[in-house]
PDB file of all heavy atoms in Angstrom:
ATOM      1  N   ASP A 210     -33.108 -22.402 -11.797  1.00  0.00           N
ATOM      2  CA  ASP A 210     -33.953 -22.946 -10.727  1.00  0.00           C
ATOM      3  C   ASP A 210     -35.413 -22.526 -10.962  1.00  0.00           C
ATOM      4  O   ASP A 210     -35.747 -21.335 -10.887  1.00  0.00           O
ATOM      5  CB  ASP A 210     -33.423 -22.367  -9.393  1.00  0.00           C
ATOM      6  CG  ASP A 210     -34.257 -22.787  -8.203  1.00  0.00           C
ATOM      7  OD1 ASP A 210     -35.160 -23.626  -8.381  1.00  0.00           O
ATOM      8  OD2 ASP A 210     -33.996 -22.265  -7.103  1.00  0.00           O
ATOM      9  N   PRO A 211     -36.294 -23.472 -11.241  1.00  0.00           N
ATOM     10  CA  PRO A 211     -37.705 -23.130 -11.516  1.00  0.00           C
ATOM     11  C   PRO A 211     -38.355 -22.400 -10.337  1.00  0.00           C
ATOM     12  O   PRO A 211     -39.157 -21.496 -10.518  1.00  0.00           O
ATOM     13  CB  PRO A 211     -38.370 -24.484 -11.743  1.00  0.00           C
ATOM     14  CG  PRO A 211     -37.264 -25.454 -12.007  1.00  0.00           C
ATOM     15  CD  PRO A 211     -36.048 -24.924 -11.342  1.00  0.00           C
ATOM     16  N   GLN A 212     -37.928 -22.778  -9.108  1.00  0.00           N
ATOM     17  CA  GLN A 212     -38.523 -22.128  -7.937  1.00  0.00           C
ATOM     18  C   GLN A 212     -38.091 -20.663  -7.856  1.00  0.00           C
ATOM     19  O   GLN A 212     -38.854 -19.820  -7.426  1.00  0.00           O
ATOM     20  CB  GLN A 212     -38.102 -22.863  -6.666  1.00  0.00           C
ATOM     21  CG  GLN A 212     -39.005 -24.052  -6.371  1.00  0.00           C
ATOM     22  CD  GLN A 212     -38.573 -24.756  -5.099  1.00  0.00           C
ATOM     23  OE1 GLN A 212     -37.738 -25.647  -5.150  1.00  0.00           O
ATOM     24  NE2 GLN A 212     -39.131 -24.338  -3.987  1.00  0.00           N
ATOM     25  N   ALA A 213     -36.871 -20.430  -8.308  1.00  0.00           N
ATOM     26  CA  ALA A 213     -36.392 -19.049  -8.337  1.00  0.00           C
ATOM     27  C   ALA A 213     -37.195 -18.251  -9.350  1.00  0.00           C
ATOM     28  O   ALA A 213     -37.582 -17.100  -9.122  1.00  0.00           O
ATOM     29  CB  ALA A 213     -34.913 -19.008  -8.683  1.00  0.00           C
ATOM     30  N   GLY A 214     -37.479 -18.901 -10.465  1.00  0.00           N
ATOM     31  CA  GLY A 214     -38.270 -18.237 -11.506  1.00  0.00           C
ATOM     32  C   GLY A 214     -39.645 -17.830 -10.997  1.00  0.00           C
ATOM     33  O   GLY A 214     -40.190 -16.788 -11.395  1.00  0.00           O
ATOM     34  N   GLU A 215     -40.190 -18.656 -10.107  1.00  0.00           N
ATOM     35  CA  GLU A 215     -41.536 -18.348  -9.604  1.00  0.00           C
ATOM     36  C   GLU A 215     -41.584 -17.062  -8.799  1.00  0.00           C
ATOM     37  O   GLU A 215     -42.637 -16.425  -8.693  1.00  0.00           O
ATOM     38  CB  GLU A 215     -42.014 -19.516  -8.715  1.00  0.00           C
ATOM     39  CG  GLU A 215     -42.449 -20.729  -9.525  1.00  0.00           C
ATOM     40  CD  GLU A 215     -42.717 -21.938  -8.635  1.00  0.00           C
ATOM     41  OE1 GLU A 215     -42.819 -21.765  -7.395  1.00  0.00           O
ATOM     42  OE2 GLU A 215     -42.813 -23.050  -9.190  1.00  0.00           O
ATOM     43  N   VAL A 216     -40.478 -16.667  -8.225  1.00  0.00           N
ATOM     44  CA  VAL A 216     -40.445 -15.435  -7.425  1.00  0.00           C
ATOM     45  C   VAL A 216     -40.517 -14.202  -8.330  1.00  0.00           C
ATOM     46  O   VAL A 216     -40.958 -13.132  -7.924  1.00  0.00           O
ATOM     47  CB  VAL A 216     -39.164 -15.391  -6.561  1.00  0.00           C
ATOM     48  CG1 VAL A 216     -39.089 -14.141  -5.711  1.00  0.00           C
ATOM     49  CG2 VAL A 216     -39.082 -16.620  -5.683  1.00  0.00           C
ATOM     50  N   ALA A 217     -40.076 -14.384  -9.585  1.00  0.00           N
ATOM     51  CA  ALA A 217     -40.020 -13.251 -10.521  1.00  0.00           C
ATOM     52  C   ALA A 217     -41.413 -12.864 -11.009  1.00  0.00           C
ATOM     53  O   ALA A 217     -42.367 -13.643 -10.908  1.00  0.00           O
ATOM     54  CB  ALA A 217     -39.132 -13.622 -11.703  1.00  0.00           C
ATOM     55  N   ASP A 218     -41.512 -11.619 -11.535  1.00  0.00           N
ATOM     56  CA  ASP A 218     -42.770 -11.162 -12.119  1.00  0.00           C
ATOM     57  C   ASP A 218     -42.974 -11.793 -13.493  1.00  0.00           C
ATOM     58  O   ASP A 218     -44.103 -11.942 -13.958  1.00  0.00           O
ATOM     59  CB  ASP A 218     -42.729  -9.637 -12.293  1.00  0.00           C
ATOM     60  CG  ASP A 218     -42.574  -8.925 -10.958  1.00  0.00           C
ATOM     61  OD1 ASP A 218     -43.203  -9.365  -9.980  1.00  0.00           O
ATOM     62  OD2 ASP A 218     -41.791  -7.948 -10.900  1.00  0.00           O
ATOM     63  N   ARG A 219     -41.821 -12.106 -14.119  1.00  0.00           N
ATOM     64  CA  ARG A 219     -41.932 -12.567 -15.510  1.00  0.00           C
ATOM     65  C   ARG A 219     -40.738 -13.457 -15.820  1.00  0.00           C
ATOM     66  O   ARG A 219     -39.616 -13.203 -15.357  1.00  0.00           O
ATOM     67  CB  ARG A 219     -41.893 -11.305 -16.393  1.00  0.00           C
ATOM     68  CG  ARG A 219     -41.873 -11.496 -17.855  1.00  0.00           C
ATOM     69  CD  ARG A 219     -41.892 -10.096 -18.478  1.00  0.00           C
ATOM     70  NE  ARG A 219     -41.296 -10.094 -19.784  1.00  0.00           N
ATOM     71  CZ  ARG A 219     -40.529  -9.121 -20.262  1.00  0.00           C
ATOM     72  NH1 ARG A 219     -40.249  -8.075 -19.497  1.00  0.00           N
ATOM     73  NH2 ARG A 219     -40.051  -9.189 -21.469  1.00  0.00           N
ATOM     74  N   ILE A 220     -41.006 -14.511 -16.584  1.00  0.00           N
ATOM     75  CA  ILE A 220     -39.917 -15.428 -16.970  1.00  0.00           C
ATOM     76  C   ILE A 220     -39.693 -15.307 -18.467  1.00  0.00           C
ATOM     77  O   ILE A 220     -40.646 -15.360 -19.258  1.00  0.00           O
ATOM     78  CB  ILE A 220     -40.265 -16.878 -16.608  1.00  0.00           C
ATOM     79  CG1 ILE A 220     -40.385 -17.040 -15.083  1.00  0.00           C
ATOM     80  CG2 ILE A 220     -39.213 -17.842 -17.162  1.00  0.00           C
ATOM     81  CD1 ILE A 220     -40.894 -18.395 -14.637  1.00  0.00           C
ATOM     82  N   VAL A 221     -38.419 -15.093 -18.849  1.00  0.00           N
ATOM     83  CA  VAL A 221     -38.073 -15.069 -20.276  1.00  0.00           C
ATOM     84  C   VAL A 221     -37.217 -16.292 -20.530  1.00  0.00           C
ATOM     85  O   VAL A 221     -36.150 -16.448 -19.928  1.00  0.00           O
ATOM     86  CB  VAL A 221     -37.304 -13.783 -20.635  1.00  0.00           C
ATOM     87  CG1 VAL A 221     -36.836 -13.814 -22.093  1.00  0.00           C
ATOM     88  CG2 VAL A 221     -38.145 -12.553 -20.367  1.00  0.00           C
ATOM     89  N   LYS A 222     -37.709 -17.168 -21.399  1.00  0.00           N
ATOM     90  CA  LYS A 222     -36.953 -18.387 -21.697  1.00  0.00           C
ATOM     91  C   LYS A 222     -36.176 -18.186 -22.983  1.00  0.00           C
ATOM     92  O   LYS A 222     -36.727 -17.728 -23.990  1.00  0.00           O
ATOM     93  CB  LYS A 222     -37.894 -19.584 -21.811  1.00  0.00           C
ATOM     94  CG  LYS A 222     -38.455 -19.976 -20.454  1.00  0.00           C
ATOM     95  CD  LYS A 222     -39.167 -21.310 -20.502  1.00  0.00           C
ATOM     96  CE  LYS A 222     -39.596 -21.713 -19.095  1.00  0.00           C
ATOM     97  NZ  LYS A 222     -40.529 -22.828 -19.086  1.00  0.00           N
ATOM     98  N   LEU A 223     -34.897 -18.515 -22.914  1.00  0.00           N
ATOM     99  CA  LEU A 223     -34.007 -18.307 -24.068  1.00  0.00           C
ATOM    100  C   LEU A 223     -33.484 -19.638 -24.578  1.00  0.00           C
ATOM    101  O   LEU A 223     -33.330 -20.589 -23.812  1.00  0.00           O
ATOM    102  CB  LEU A 223     -32.796 -17.468 -23.661  1.00  0.00           C
ATOM    103  CG  LEU A 223     -33.076 -16.047 -23.181  1.00  0.00           C
ATOM    104  CD1 LEU A 223     -31.901 -15.546 -22.347  1.00  0.00           C
ATOM    105  CD2 LEU A 223     -33.294 -15.114 -24.364  1.00  0.00           C
TER     106      LEU A 223
END
Side-chain angles (χ1 to χ4, degrees):
Chain A
D210 177 7
Q212 275 180 271
E215 284 172 14
V216 180
D218 298 320
R219 175 178 154 218
I220 295 173
V221 175
K222 289 191 175 168
L223 297 159

